[in-house]
C-alpha cells in the first residue's frame, strides 16, 4: 500500500477513535511489528482484567437453561468465552468489533489489490487492533519463513490414495505435523504453565504458515501433476497459496484474500471453533486441536456445505439444463425438501438474516463476474429458496449462509474440483481458532467439562 493510502487509512482510524492522533505521545502497539511482543504487552493487562471481573461478578446469573436446550444442540445457551469475534443473529459477524465491510475498508491490502490481507485479519483477531502495513508485512514475512512442511508429512500425503477425501488428507497431515509442536516439546520438558501461551503462539504461527503448502500438495496430487512451486518470499500468504495451487490470475489471488479473511472466524460455538477449543482444553497441542476442528468442519451441515452446494447446483443443471424457469427451479427445491434433504447453503444455527459473508461474495461477483451463468443461477435461487423454506415452516432462518456463494466464485476462476472447497475453508478457519487458542492458554482456561444428564435424571430435576 502506498504512503498516501496508509496516511488516509490512519486518518480514518483516528476519526473512528481507533488510533490515537499522531504525536499523542503514546508509543502505541502500531509501532511494534512483532506480534509476539504486542501480545506479551497485552496479556498481563487482560489477565488482571479477567481476574478482577471474576472476583466482582463471578457469581452473577446470566441466563436460564431450559430442557429443550439439552436436546436441542445447546442453541442459545451462553457457555463459552471467545474474544476474537461475536455473531449477531441479524447483523452477522464482527471480528473484534469490526464488520466485514469495515475490515474490507480498514485492513491493509496487497500492492494494487482491493481486498483485505488475511494476515491483517489475524493481527486484528489476536490483538483487537487494526494493524499497520508494516505489521502485516512482518506477518507475511514470518509465515513465509515458517512455511516448510516436514518431509514425513509430504511423503504421507504423496502416499494417500486419490480416493481419500481432501479433508481427510488435510486433517491427517495436520495431526502428523505435531511432530513439530513446540507446545508438546515444552510441556514434556515441564515448563511453567504461565508460559503455555508462548509455545501455543509458536505452534499457531508455524501451523498457519504451513497450511497453504499442505493444502496445495493435496490439490496438486489429486487434480494436477503433483508438483508444487516453492514459496515466493516477496508474496503474501494468499498470493503464495494461489501460486502453489497453480493459479496465476491476479484476480484469483484477490479472491483468495477475501475468501481466507471472511471464513476465518464465527465466534466460539460453531462446530470447528468449539472443537478446537474443547480439544485444546485437554492441553492437546495446537496441531491435534486444530485437526480435530477440521474433522468437524468436514461435516455437511458445517463447512462441507460449500461442496454440497456445488453438488446440488450441478444436479440441478444436469436435470434442468442451462436456462431454468422459476417454476422448474421451485419444483427442484421442493423435491429436495420432500426427499428429506436440506437445501445446502441455506439456514443457520444463529443467523436470522442473509449472512454478510454471502453478501460480500455477491458484491465481489457483481463487480467481477456479473454475467457468469452460474452466478445468475445462484442469484435466481436466492430469490426463490427463502420463500419456499418459509412456506415449509421448519427452518428458523430461510436465508443463505456463506457456503451458498463461495463455490460459484471458485468455479469462475476455473477451480472446479468441488470436493476440495472445504480445504480452503479449513485453511482460513485456522486464523480464528488458533488466535483463540493462544488466548485460551494466556487466560489459563481449564479443561472443558460440562455436566451431562440422563433423561431420567432430567425428569427428576424438573419434578416429573
Ligand atoms: N433446508 C431444509 N431444511 C432446513 C434447512 C435447509 N437449508 N435449514 C434448516 N432446516 C430444517 C432443519 O433440518 C430442522 O429440521 P427438523 O426439525 O426436521 O430436524 C428444522 O429446519 C429446524 O432447524 P433450524 O433450527 O432452523 O436449524 P439448525 O440450527 O438446527 O441447523 C443448519 C442449522 C445450518 C445445520 C441448517 O440450517 C442446515 O442444515 N442448513 C443446510 C446446510 C448448510 O448450509 N450448512 C452450512 C452452515 C454454515 C457453516 O457452518 O458453514
Amino acid at each position: 500500500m502506498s504512503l498516501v493510502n496508509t496516511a488516509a487509512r490512519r486518518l480514518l482510524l483516528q476519526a473512528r477513535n481507533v488510533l490515537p492522533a499522531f504525536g499523542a505521545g503514546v508509543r502505541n502497539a502500531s509501532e511494534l511489528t512483532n506480534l509476539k511482543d504486542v501480545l506479551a504487552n497485552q496479556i498481563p493487562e487482560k489477565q488482571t482484567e479477567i481476574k478482577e471481573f471474576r472476583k466482582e461478578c463471578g457469581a452473577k446469573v446470566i441466563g436460564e437453561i431450559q430442557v429443550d436446550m439439552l436436546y436441542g444442540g445447546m442453541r442459545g445457551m451462553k457457555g463459552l468465552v471467545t474474544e476474537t469475534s461475536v455473531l449477531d443473529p441479524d447483523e452477522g459477524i464482527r471480528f473484534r468489533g469490526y464488520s466485514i465491510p469495515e475490515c474490507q475498508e480498514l485492513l491493509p491490502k496487497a500492492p494494487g489489490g482491493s481486498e483485505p490481507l488475511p494476515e491483517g485479519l489475524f493481527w486484528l483477531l489476536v490483538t483487537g487492533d487494526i494493524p499497520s502495513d508494516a505489521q502485516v508485512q512482518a506477518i507475511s514475512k514470518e509465515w513465509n519463513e515458517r512455511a516448510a512442511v516436514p518431509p514425513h508429512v509430504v511423503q504421507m500425503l504423496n502416499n494417500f490414495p486419490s480416493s481419500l477425501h481432501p479433508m481427510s488428507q488435510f486433517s491427517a497431515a495436520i495431526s502428523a505435523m505435531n511432530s513439530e509442536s513446540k507446545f508438546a516439546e515444552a510441556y514434556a520438558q515441564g515448563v511453567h504453565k504461565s508460559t503455555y501461551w508462548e509455545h501455543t503462539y509458536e505452534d499457531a504461527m508455524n501451523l498457519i504458515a504451513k497450511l497453504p503448502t499442505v493444502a496445495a500438495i493435496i490439490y496438486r496430487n489429486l487434480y494436477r501433476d503433483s508438483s508444487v512451486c516453492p514459496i515466493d518470499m516477496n508474496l503474501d500468504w494468499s498470493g503464495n497459496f494461489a501460486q502453489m495451487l497453480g493459479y496465476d490470475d491476479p484476480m484469483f489471488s484477490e479472491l483468495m484474500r477475501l475468501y481466507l479473511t471472511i471464513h476465518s472466524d464465527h465466534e466460539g460455538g460453531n462446530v470447528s471453533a468449539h472443537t478446537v477449543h474443547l480439544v485444546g482444553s485437554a492441553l492437546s497441542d495446537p496441531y491435534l486441536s486444530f485437526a480435530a476442528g477440521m474433522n468437524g468442519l468436514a461435516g455437511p451441515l458445517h463447512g462441507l456445505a460449500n461442496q454440497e452446494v456445488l453438488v446440488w447446483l450441478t444436479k440441478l443443471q444436469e436435470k434442468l439444463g442451462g436456462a431454468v424457469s422459476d417454476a422448474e427451479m421451485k419444483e427442484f427445491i421442493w423435491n429436495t425438501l420432500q426427499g428429506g434433504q436440506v437445501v445446502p447453503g441455506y439456514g443457520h444455527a444463529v443467523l436470522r438474516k442473509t449472512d454478510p459473508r454471502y453478501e460480500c461474495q455477491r458484491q465481489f461477483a457483481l463487480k467481477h463476474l456479473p454475467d457468469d451463468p452460474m452466478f445468475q443461477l445462484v442469484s435466481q435461487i436466492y430469490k426463490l429458496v427463502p420463500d419456499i423454506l418459509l412456506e415449509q415452516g421448519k427452518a428458523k432462518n430461510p436465508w443463505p449462509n456463506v457456503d451458498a456463494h463461495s463455490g460459484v466464485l471458485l468455479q469462475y476462476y476455473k477451480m472446479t474440483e468441488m470436493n476440495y472447497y472445504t480445504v480452503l475453508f479449513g485453511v482460513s478457519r485456522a486464523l480464528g481458532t488458533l488466535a483463540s487458542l493462544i488466548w485460551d492458554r494466556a487466560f489459563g482456561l481449564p479443561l472443558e467439562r460440562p455436566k451431562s444428564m440422563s433423561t431420567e435424571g432430567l425428569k427428576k430435576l424438573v419434578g416429573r
Side-chain angles (χ1 to χ4, degrees):
M1 175 173 278
S2 72
L3 278 177
V4 177
N5 281 346
T6 307
R9 191 157 52 81
R10 195 180 167 93
L11 285 173
L12 194 66
L13 289 168
Q14 280 164 3
R16 290 167 184 234
N17 294 325
V18 174
L19 279 183
F22 286 117
V26 183
R27 181 176 154 70
N28 61 60
S30 66
E31 289 173 28
L32 293 173
T33 54
N34 185 296
L35 180 57
K36 200 172 184 182
D37 292 343
V38 174
L39 259 177
N41 274 347
Q42 273 193 358
I43 284 172
E45 199 185 314
K46 296 277 176 199
Q47 285 170 333
T48 308
E49 182 190 333
I50 288 171
K51 208 168 152 192
E52 284 171 2
F53 177 52
R54 289 185 65 180
K55 200 167 155 205
E56 194 189 324
C57 303
K60 284 220 191 285
V61 176
I62 54 164
E64 287 181 342
I65 295 177
Q66 293 155 357
V67 171
D68 265 349
M69 289 173 165
L70 275 75
Y71 290 100
M74 299 193 276
R75 294 289 184 285
M77 199 188 273
K78 294 184 185 72
L80 292 168
V81 176
T82 303
E83 307 289 2
T84 49
S85 63
V86 175
L87 180 59
D88 180 85
D90 294 321
E91 193 202 33
I93 195 69
R94 276 187 181 264
F95 303 116
R96 291 280 192 174
Y98 293 92
S99 67
I100 288 177
E102 285 168 349
C103 286
Q104 285 178 292
E105 189 185 344
L106 296 173
L107 290 175
K109 322 277 186 295
S114 58
E115 297 300 342
L117 287 164
E119 287 90 326
L121 188 85
F122 182 67
W123 186 289
L124 174 64
L125 292 173
V126 172
T127 65
D129 297 325
I130 298 280
S132 65
D133 292 339
Q135 288 167 331
V136 163
Q137 282 155 14
I139 298 278
S140 297
K141 183 169 178 285
E142 247 193 285
W143 286 354
N144 285 342
E145 286 165 358
R146 293 170 183 253
V149 173
H152 71 272
V153 175
V154 177
Q155 197 182 355
M156 185 181 90
L157 287 169
N158 291 345
N159 285 338
F160 278 145
S162 57
S163 55
L164 187 61
H165 192 278
M167 278 304 280
S168 309
Q169 299 198 24
F170 191 54
S171 156
I174 294 162
S175 288
M177 283 201 298
N178 94 320
S179 56
E180 313 302 296
S181 174
K182 302 290 179 204
F183 179 86
E185 191 186 322
Y187 190 86
Q189 284 165 4
V191 297
H192 194 276
K193 65 202 287 189
S194 62
T195 70
Y196 285 173
W197 76 265
E198 296 180 35
H199 314 296
T200 302
Y201 174 88
E202 292 301 329
D203 279 357
M205 292 292 276
N206 285 332
L207 177 49
I208 293 169
K210 294 173 198 317
L211 285 177
T213 310
V214 168
I217 294 172
I218 294 168
Y219 184 78
R220 302 286 305 178
N221 277 350
L222 286 176
Y223 313 116
R224 298 289 188 273
D225 64 0
S226 298
S227 67
V228 175
C229 69
I231 290 279
D232 177 344
M233 289 297 173
N234 296 315
L235 271 181
D236 58 286
W237 190 60
S238 318
N240 262 313
F241 190 19
Q243 290 293 317
M244 289 190 290
L245 288 167
Y247 289 81
D248 291 330
D249 184 343
M251 281 316 300
F252 185 81
S253 294
E254 275 292 274
L255 174 62
M256 278 297 102
R257 290 174 188 122
L258 178 66
Y259 188 107
L260 297 172
T261 295
I262 63 173
H263 286 78
S264 59
D265 208 31
H266 222 220
E267 71 171 38
N270 66 78
V271 170
S272 52
H274 188 190
T275 305
V276 176
H277 167 77
L278 169 67
V279 175
S281 83
L283 297 187
S284 303
D285 66 59
Y287 294 87
L288 296 179
S289 307
F290 183 64
M294 289 302 94
N295 291 336
L297 192 75
L301 295 187
H302 190 17
L304 201 81
N306 61 8
Q307 167 187 315
E308 297 297 289
V309 167
L310 256 289
V311 171
W312 187 75
L313 286 177
T314 308
K315 276 189 200 151
L316 187 151
Q317 282 185 318
E318 274 167 14
K319 185 144 194 267
L320 304 175
V324 184
S325 71
D326 283 0
E328 287 173 316
M329 196 180 278
K330 278 183 188 170
E331 195 189 338
F332 186 86
I333 297 163
W334 274 114
N335 282 342
T336 301
L337 295 174
Q338 278 151 6
Q341 293 154 37
V342 295
V343 177
Y346 280 75
H348 199 272
V350 179
L351 282 167
R352 293 296 175 258
K353 292 270 168 66
T354 295
D355 189 338
R357 301 172 300 175
Y358 176 95
E359 189 52 43
C360 84
Q361 293 182 95
R362 182 172 158 76
Q363 292 307 321
F364 186 97
L366 285 168
K367 191 167 161 196
H368 300 292
L369 45 134
D371 301 325
D372 178 60
M374 189 71 111
F375 170 54
Q376 287 178 357
L377 190 68
V378 163
S379 302
Q380 192 183 0
I381 290 168
Y382 183 28
K383 280 195 224 135
L384 301 177
V385 168
D387 282 345
I388 293 177
L389 285 177
L390 284 173
E391 192 180 332
Q392 191 203 27
K394 276 172 53 170
K396 293 189 188 68
N397 174 34
W399 302 105
N401 60 59
V402 65
D403 299 314
H405 215 303
S406 52
V408 168
L409 303 181
L410 296 167
Q411 291 260 323
Y412 179 78
Y413 292 103
K414 312 260 181 303
M415 182 180 266
T416 53
E417 299 86 1
M418 47 196 91
N419 280 12
Y420 185 75
Y421 291 171
T422 313
V423 174
L424 299 177
F425 195 156
V427 171
S428 172
R429 200 32 72 100
L431 303 177
T433 55
L434 294 172
S436 280
L437 202 60
I438 295 168
W439 280 105
D440 289 351
R441 296 289 78 84
F443 291 153
L445 299 186
L447 184 80
E448 193 170 291
R449 197 355 180 146
K451 176 81 185 99
S452 71
M453 306 281 300
S454 65
T455 297
E456 196 190 347
L458 204 49
K459 281 183 177 169
K460 271 195 201 137
L461 192 69
V462 298
R464 195 151 165 266

